[in-house]
Amino acid sequence: MSESGNSGTSILLPGARVSVFTKDGETIETVRALAEDWRFARVVLKTHEGDVNDAIALYGTEISPDLVIVQTEEIDDAFAQRLETLGGRCAEGTGAIVIGPVNDVYLYRRLISMGVNDYLVRPVKPLIFGEVIAKSLIEKMGASGSRLIAVTGAKGGVGTSLLAQSLACGVADQLHQKTLLLDAAGSWSTIGVGLGFEATTTLAEALKVGAAADEQRLSRMLFASGDRLSVLASGGDVMLEHNASPDQIEKLLNVFMVKFPVIVFDLSQAPIPVRRSILARAHKVLLVSTPTLPSLRLARTLLLEIKELRGGSAEGTDLILNMQGFAPTAEATKSDIESALDCKPAAALPFNPKLFAGLESQGKKFTDDKAGAEIARMLVALVQKLIGAESDESSASEKHKHASGMGGLFNILKSK
Ligand SMILES: Nc1ncnc2c1ncn2[C@@H]1O[C@H](COP(=O)(O)OP(=O)(O)OP(=O)(O)O)[C@@H](O)[C@H]1O
Ligand SMILES: [Mg+2]
């Protein structure tokens, strides 16, 4: 019977499916509240108004989720038998939590010996419920990190910052992922203008707080742009003294990567050593170039260097052509670009000064504008697989890893 509200599980939980079978209005309300908890951003919580019999019936025809929670009013031999039947219907490694009416240590021990992850007494306090589910999921799947997407430019002024903003808005508003937009540009940053906020701190201060791993103070340095997009509201630094190191940025990321499923890093104006370290470790790199010769020439060299940094693999690096149509007679054709760079551009975005300069000067989000949302959608398409599919894959492989060793309820019952 878990009573502790320990905060050891205050991290972003891995992508998982959890189903709760209950007829208790209070429990239903608690589940609803948990869905709003940031730790559960990637957990699909489903409530079924029913009991163990409904779970048995459902998993006779449907694949069971990662964790099944069953609330019961009767804890007797018949219930234990039904749990056993349920175990037979569920996939190997499925976790189980039982919510019951009585606080009974012998019953608790019996259920645990059957392989139940935990037993809770109703009414379940949201804090404890959250902790117990988190603990079960982490035991089962391991804690999984977030996705870091680096956006970098072949040269200055090619639109790196605005495309990073557009992508971050798209991931937050179109993929509904809690997202953080970061840069290491200090007061050279233009994100505040683009998203309409004033810097409330300096990058130097944020790096200091990051080095101390002070999560709460860092959270207060964030600007919320809508429900799911946050931005580090730094930028009040002295322009000519800006100097972030890879190590400092790494410490900042260590704090943020357990809170945000997706981090978009705008590398334009970042010191070169920071670009190097982020390009090496990002899950995805978007390299922005215009279709004109000076930019393409740098893009070609940069693509080779990025490949080398990433262990000789070009996988996960996409070239984006921006401002297509800006100078039609001076622009290389798509096929010329493909053969010269040995890389097929993943997206080509039109030159649209009215849209870009308009949104930027009004401090308006791309996703709040019809044409802007289209640009965001094109960029989101490049990372959607990474955000969705990879988390599924990693949870699937973690699942496999733990399924054999964990001995969840249903493994134990099956091996009887
Ligand atoms: N597709 C586009 N169509 C029209 N204008 C664009 C487009 N993309 C970017 N711009 C404009 O280009 C300018 C530079 O954009 P941005 O600041 O994003 O570039 P950057 O590569 O980050 O620059 P820096 O190297 O200074 O950091 C902005 O004024 C922006 O409005
Ligand atoms: Mg920029």
Side-chain angles (χ1 to χ4, degrees), residues 17 55 58-68 85-96 140 399 402-404 406-414:
R17 291 181 307 128
L58 185 65
Y59 301 133
T61 55
E62 230 179 59
I63 296 175
S64 57
D66 301 292
L67 181 63
V68 179
T85 309
L86 178 59
R89 299 275 168 98
C90 287
E92 208 172 294
T94 302
K140 185 175 155 54
K399 226 179 278 176
H402 288 268
S404 48
M406 196 192 119
L409 166 66
F410 305 119
N411 293 349
I412 293 182
L413 291 175
K414 275 175 179 164

Side-chain angles (χ1 to χ4, degrees), residues 157 159-162 188 190 266 268-269:
T160 307
S161 295
L162 281 191
W188 295 88
T190 50
D266 167 13
S268 64
Q269 304 291 346

Side-chain angles (χ1 to χ4, degrees), residues 156-162 190 268-269 322-323 350-353 356-357 360:
V158 293
T160 307
S161 295
L162 281 191
T190 50
S268 64
Q269 304 291 346
N322 189 27
M323 306 196 199
F351 179 62
N352 187 343
F356 279 73
E360 196 178 21

Side-chain angles (χ1 to χ4, degrees), residues 66-121:
D66 301 292
L67 181 63
V68 179
I69 301 172
V70 178
Q71 181 158 0
T72 182
E73 277 308 302
E74 289 131 37
I75 298 264
D76 50 16
D77 285 343
F79 175 73
Q81 256 175 24
R82 280 186 216 115
L83 262 190
E84 193 166 337
T85 309
L86 178 59
R89 299 275 168 98
C90 287
E92 208 172 294
T94 302
I97 293 171
V98 174
I99 304 172
V102 288
N103 191 345
D104 178 341
V105 73
Y106 295 106
L107 170 66
Y108 173 72
R109 287 198 187 133
R110 183 174 168 204
L111 289 172
I112 296 297
S113 74
M114 283 175 72
V116 167
N117 294 58
D118 219 321
Y119 173 72
L120 297 164
V121 183

Side-chain angles (χ1 to χ4, degrees), residues 304-386:
L304 292 172
E305 289 195 16
I306 292 172
K307 186 173 169 184
E308 204 182 307
L309 268 181
R310 296 170 66 80
S313 168
E315 211 173 299
T317 303
D318 282 349
L319 174 68
I320 299 174
L321 294 179
N322 189 27
M323 306 196 199
Q324 202 171 42
F326 165 67
T329 51
E331 287 173 17
T333 63
K334 202 162 158 268
S335 62
D336 281 350
I337 294 171
E338 277 180 38
S339 59
L341 271 64
D342 197 19
C343 156
K344 207 170 161 187
L349 307 179
F351 179 62
N352 187 343
K354 198 165 159 233
L355 175 69
F356 279 73
L359 292 180
E360 196 178 21
S361 53
Q362 291 165 48
K364 195 170 158 191
K365 283 167 86 181
F366 275 74
T367 40
D368 288 342
D369 176 275
K370 200 165 164 234
E374 273 315 303
I375 299 284
R377 216 161 270 131
M378 287 167 82
L379 296 169
V380 162
L382 307 178
V383 301
Q384 189 162 4
K385 197 166 154 224
L386 170 87

